[in-house]
């Protein structure tokens, strides 16, 4: 008798027709075999064995360097279930179209069967996935990013309770690339890409798109959030989750070196990208990090901005699309030093000044969480950690203040639902275009986004100790086009204000959008920031916000009857408050 997993692998092999099937055990020896395959393929390189032991550089195909949202589909039975913000294909059509591309795709290749657990091995919140892939790079990455191999096979046993994901590199042509999700079946198919969220199916495909559907069915939440613990003087740690869109600062906030360490404020890392949260018996929302590693943006990460991350990257790290120095060390823009002589760019060409960035803007490192100096000792607590604050944020050159607090859960859900952010290199397409990105889930919600707002509202109603909800913006710019706020380790000052609000200590000015810090309620000692910059950072322009709120109303209207009444009421109430305040200031 074969198990459900064996049956699925059999079926997948009948379609993709690999030369052989290898079942992965997650061992170090197996990792080294995968690296061996990558080196032989000629797209990967061993880095300096003395300074970067067991580190490798992988160069992906130049047309395959970021998630491709226009090729990502939610294949629910009806378009309405996927909603107006998702690409939709009907399940049968998708099976047909993508099935044709998967047919024989693994001929001459090996199919690796990768069982993995998302979440701590002993946690009741964890879930099992199995990825069948023809990419050794994906296998190696999944070993860093999840609890992979034997541990998962043993937990699964003969059960059918796993999310299958079939992945083939195909021919890497974007014209024949699809990332399709079947929320009813809880199934993922991906073909034509070997990069990041397109190919490591445990990450965005399972842990967000499919998991968001499961979470709604089962009454929990799957969110695009980092999880951190803020230690305050005396040693108490307060846990917070923060949802920022791709390449908007999650990893950096979760792994920051606090500039207020001498005052007793320290940040402990629990997760940097995804949070699974349930309502626990103590009435709090409890969060686990389903991942076991960090797939972080390299450019901009340096000894000045983030020494914790830099400390983690010196061994056992897989780099993707970074540059390489003559000493075979990884290099990227923002690492801290000037481009050294003899630099090879991310495509493998000699780099010269004026020839563009040496590293791709979405170059990444894949590193085991355990190597992070700031890792919380509770990061694998099976029951998750109690969350006292949820923080939304994005890149807004204008409009959004450094931080504000929502009035209550329902208003906070509206604040998340109205989020917008400038696009980044984490996905293909134009960079710097401001778009609506509710809860940072625009590319990751596996069902109708308005129903997802409804789920948030329902969760709030069930929470005895709902976290307070905040919004932050590290990216506001002054008239000179420069960031007004120094960011990175200085962001701890905002986390401290949030903690002070939770504990009822900090003062705030009530504005139509929510409570904004009074300048003196922020701890700014040791920071060189002009009173004028601070004023700009904290300013709320009612006229600009009124225009924003109107755009939000139009966005909500796209969802028709799906949009919860409470959310529409919040949008109208904001318009009222803003209109009254513009009249008052005139
Ligand atoms: P994904 O992994 O794609 O989800 O991105 P992320 O949200 O984890 O973003 P990350 O922390 O990797 O930061 C993305 C880019 O923004 C990097 O180039 C960082 O250097 C930069 N960045 C992060 N935090 C700050 C900040 O506080 N201020 C400024 N100015 N830049 C920041
Ligand atoms: C993101 O884009 O949010 C990432 C990178 O974390 S990827 O895994 O490619 O989705
Ligand atoms: Mn990240």
């Amino acid at each position: 008798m074969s198990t459900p997993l064996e049956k699925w692998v059999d079926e997948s092999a009948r379609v993709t027709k690999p030369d052989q099937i290898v079942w992965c055990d997650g061992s170090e020896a197996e990792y080294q075999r995968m690296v061996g395959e990558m080196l032989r393929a000629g797209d990967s390189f061993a880095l300096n064995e003395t300074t970067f032991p067991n580190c490798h550089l992988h160069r992906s195909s130049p047309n395959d360097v970021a998630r491709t949202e226009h090729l990502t589909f939610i294949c629910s039975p009806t378009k309405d279930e996927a909603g107006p913000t998702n690409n939709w294909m009907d399940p049968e059509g998708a099976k047909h179209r993508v099935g044709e591309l998967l047919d024989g795709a693994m001929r001459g290749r090996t199919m690796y069967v990768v069982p993995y657990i998302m979440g701590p091995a002993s946690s009741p919140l964890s879930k099992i996935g199995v990825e069948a892939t023809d990419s050794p790079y994906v296998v190696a990455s999944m070993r860093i990013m999840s609890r992979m191999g034997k541990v998962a096979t043993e937990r699964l046993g003969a059960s059918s309770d796993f999310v299958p994901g079939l992945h083939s590199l195909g021919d890497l042509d974007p014209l024949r690339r699809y990332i399709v999700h079947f929320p009813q079946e809880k199934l993922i198919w991906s073909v034509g890409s070997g990069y990041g969220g397109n190919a490591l199916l445990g990450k965005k495909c399972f842990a967000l798109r499919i998991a968001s559907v499961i979470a709604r069915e089962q009454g929990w939440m799957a969110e695009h959030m980092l999880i951190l613990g803020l230690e305050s003087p005396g040693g108490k740690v307060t846990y917070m989750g923060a949802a920022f869109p791709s390449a908007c600062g999650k990893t950096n906030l979760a792994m920051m070196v606090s500039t207020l360490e001498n005052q007793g404020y320290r940040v402990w890392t629990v997760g940097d990208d995804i949070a699974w949260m349930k309502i626990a018996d103590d009435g709090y929302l409890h969060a686990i990090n389903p991942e076991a590693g960090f797939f972080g943006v390299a450019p901009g990460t340096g000894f000045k901005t983030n020494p914790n991350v830099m400390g983690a990257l010196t061994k056992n790290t897989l780099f993707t699309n970074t540059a390489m120095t003559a000493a075979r060390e990884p290099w990227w823009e923002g690492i801290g030093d000037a481009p050294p002589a003899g630099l090879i760019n991310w495509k493998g060409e000699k780099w010269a000044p004026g020839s563009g960035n040496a590293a791709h803007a979405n170059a990444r490192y894949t590193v085991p969480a355990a190597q992070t100096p700031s890792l919380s000792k509770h990061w694998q607590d099976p029951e998750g950690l109690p969350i006292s604050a949820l923080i939304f944020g994005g890149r807004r050159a204008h409009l959004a203040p450094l931080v504000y607090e929502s009035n209550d859960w329902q208003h906070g859900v509206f604040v998340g639902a109205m989020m917008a952010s400038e696009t980044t290199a984490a996905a293909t397409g134009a960079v710097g275009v401001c778009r609506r990105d509710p809860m940072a889930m625009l590319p990751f919600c596996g069902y109708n986004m308005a129903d997802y707002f409804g789920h948030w509202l329902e969760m709030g109603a069930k929470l005895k100790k709902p976290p307070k909800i905040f919004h932050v913006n590290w990216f506001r710019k002054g008239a000179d086009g420069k960031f007004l706020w120094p960011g990175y380790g200085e962001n701890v000052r905002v986390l401290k204000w949030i903690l002070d609000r939770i504990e009822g200590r900090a003062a705030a000015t009530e504005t139509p959008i929510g409570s904004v810090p009074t300048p003196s309620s922020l701890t700014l000692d040791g920071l060189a920031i002009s009173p004028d910059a601070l004023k700009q950072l904290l300013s709320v322009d009612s006229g600009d916000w009124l225009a924003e709120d109107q755009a939000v109303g139009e966005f909500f209207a796209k969802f028709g009857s799906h949009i919860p009444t409470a959310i529409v009421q919040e949008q109208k109430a904001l318009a009222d408050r803003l209109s009254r305040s513009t009249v008052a200031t005139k």
Side-chain angles (χ1 to χ4, degrees), residues 303-504:
F303 288 103
K304 266 210 201 112
T305 55
N306 205 321
N308 270 339
V309 176
M310 293 305 287
L313 303 183
T314 52
K315 54 183 183 185
N316 313 320
T317 304
L318 194 47
F319 295 88
T320 305
N321 296 338
T322 65
M324 182 168 69
T325 69
R328 301 184 76 82
E329 294 184 342
W331 191 92
W332 51 79
E333 281 71 21
I335 198 168
D337 50 15
L343 196 61
I344 307 288
N345 78 7
W346 65 276
K347 291 184 192 165
E349 306 153 348
K350 274 194 186 142
W351 181 85
S355 68
N357 284 356
H360 188 275
N362 191 36
R364 300 240 168 194
Y365 51 80
T366 311
V367 64
Q371 288 182 199
T372 305
S374 56
L375 194 65
S376 158
K377 59 175 185 283
H378 297 290
W379 82 286
Q380 307 200 78
D381 281 11
E383 292 301 324
L385 296 162
I387 298 293
S388 300
L390 292 177
I391 307 169
F392 294 120
R395 287 179 184 262
R396 296 304 297 265
H398 310 289
L399 196 76
L402 179 64
V403 55
Y404 67 98
E405 182 188 340
S406 66
N407 305 331
D408 52 33
W409 181 270
Q410 179 175 305
H411 178 237
V413 174
F414 166 67
V415 167
M418 78 181 298
M419 256 172 77
S421 188
E422 290 141 25
T423 52
T424 66
T428 57
V431 168
V433 180
C434 196
R435 67 173 184 183
R436 303 243 80 85
D437 190 347
M439 280 87 169
M441 285 288 278
L442 179 73
F444 306 120
C445 188
Y447 60 101
N448 191 308
M449 182 69 83
D451 296 336
Y452 165 80
F453 300 157
H455 181 52
W456 267 80
L457 294 172
E458 276 176 30
M459 288 296 292
K462 286 190 230 160
L463 276 168
K464 283 198 198 71
K465 306 272 186 190
K468 278 180 177 277
I469 299 180
F470 297 81
H471 187 282
V472 300
N473 179 21
W474 316 139
F475 300 96
R476 199 166 187 172
K477 289 178 176 171
D480 59 0
K482 294 201 177 122
F483 293 126
L484 288 160
W485 180 249
Y488 300 102
E490 303 293 3
N491 293 336
V492 73
R493 299 172 191 275
V494 173
L495 297 182
K496 176 179 181 293
W497 185 81
I498 288 173
L499 176 65
D500 288 344
R501 289 297 290 176
I502 294 169
E503 300 194 337

Side-chain angles (χ1 to χ4, degrees), residues 117 120-128 150-157:
I117 305 176
S122 62
S123 171
L125 281 95
S126 299
K127 301 223 168 280
I128 295 175
K150 196 162 168 266
V151 63
T153 311
E154 279 172 2
R155 179 164 158 158
L156 182 63

Side-chain angles (χ1 to χ4, degrees), residues 193-212:
S193 168
Y195 195 85
N198 283 348
L200 314 180
L201 302 186
K203 200 173 175 52
K204 308 294 188 180
C205 298
F206 176 5
L208 288 177
R209 297 195 192 96
I210 296 292
S212 62

Side-chain angles (χ1 to χ4, degrees), residues 26-290:
S27 63
E28 176 62 27
E30 178 182 85
Y31 183 82
Q32 295 308 330
R33 282 199 296 278
M34 293 306 125
V35 166
E37 291 294 327
M38 290 159 59
L39 297 177
R40 260 193 297 284
D43 56 10
S44 305
F45 308 86
L47 294 173
N48 188 310
E49 261 161 48
T50 316
T51 49
F52 286 87
N54 199 27
C55 288
H56 302 87
L57 166 63
H58 174 75
R59 292 192 190 126
S60 65
S61 165
N63 64 25
D64 185 29
V65 292
R67 281 184 299 101
T68 41
E69 294 179 1
H70 60 296
L71 303 174
T72 302
F73 291 80
I74 301 298
C75 306
S76 37
T78 64
K79 185 167 166 46
D80 199 47
E81 283 159 279
T85 57
N86 277 314
N87 300 314
W88 176 80
M89 257 196 269
D90 83 273
E92 245 179 77
K95 286 266 167 83
H96 183 76
R97 194 186 306 186
V98 183
E100 273 183 345
L101 298 174
L102 286 168
D103 188 1
M106 295 191 189
R107 244 182 225 122
R109 301 180 189 172
T110 300
M111 174 193 273
Y112 300 99
V113 179
V114 181
Y116 60 92
I117 305 176
M118 295 311 285
S122 62
S123 171
L125 281 95
S126 299
K127 301 223 168 280
I128 295 175
V130 182
E131 176 163 1
T133 176
D134 53 10
S135 161
Y137 166 77
V138 166
V139 178
S141 301
M142 287 296 288
R143 177 161 186 271
I144 299 176
M145 294 304 295
S146 68
R147 282 90 174 166
M148 188 270 257
K150 196 162 168 266
V151 63
T153 311
E154 279 172 2
R155 179 164 158 158
L156 182 63
S159 162
S160 60
D161 192 8
F162 65 95
V163 170
L166 178 55
H167 169 253
S168 172
L169 295 169
D171 63 5
L172 293 177
D173 187 330
L175 293 175
R176 284 179 290 280
R177 177 178 301 162
Y178 288 99
I179 300 94
V180 294
H181 307 71
F182 302 92
Q184 256 61 28
E185 274 181 83
K186 319 281 187 287
L187 168 70
I188 305 153
W189 279 4
S190 166
V191 65
S193 168
Y195 195 85
N198 283 348
L200 314 180
L201 302 186
K203 200 173 175 52
K204 308 294 188 180
C205 298
F206 176 5
L208 288 177
R209 297 195 192 96
I210 296 292
S212 62
V213 173
I214 301 175
R216 182 181 175 217
E217 289 168 359
Q218 299 180 347
W220 51 280
M221 303 171 91
E223 300 299 329
H224 190 201
M225 286 184 182
L226 67 89
I227 309 163
L228 63 77
L230 177 64
E231 181 178 329
S232 45
K236 184 180 164 202
V237 179
T238 304
Y239 294 95
M240 308 180 181
F244 309 156
S246 300
C248 291
K250 289 183 300 300
T251 303
N252 277 278
L253 189 68
M255 298 211 224
M256 78 152 76
V257 176
S258 155
T259 56
L260 296 180
E261 233 169 72
N262 57 0
Q263 295 187 30
Y265 294 90
R266 241 190 121 98
V267 168
W268 296 104
T269 312
V270 178
D272 83 321
D273 197 46
I274 299 174
W276 284 357
M277 304 188 285
K278 66 155 186 195
I279 301 170
D281 294 340
D282 61 8
Y284 279 90
L285 205 50
H286 276 229
I288 62 161
N289 168 13

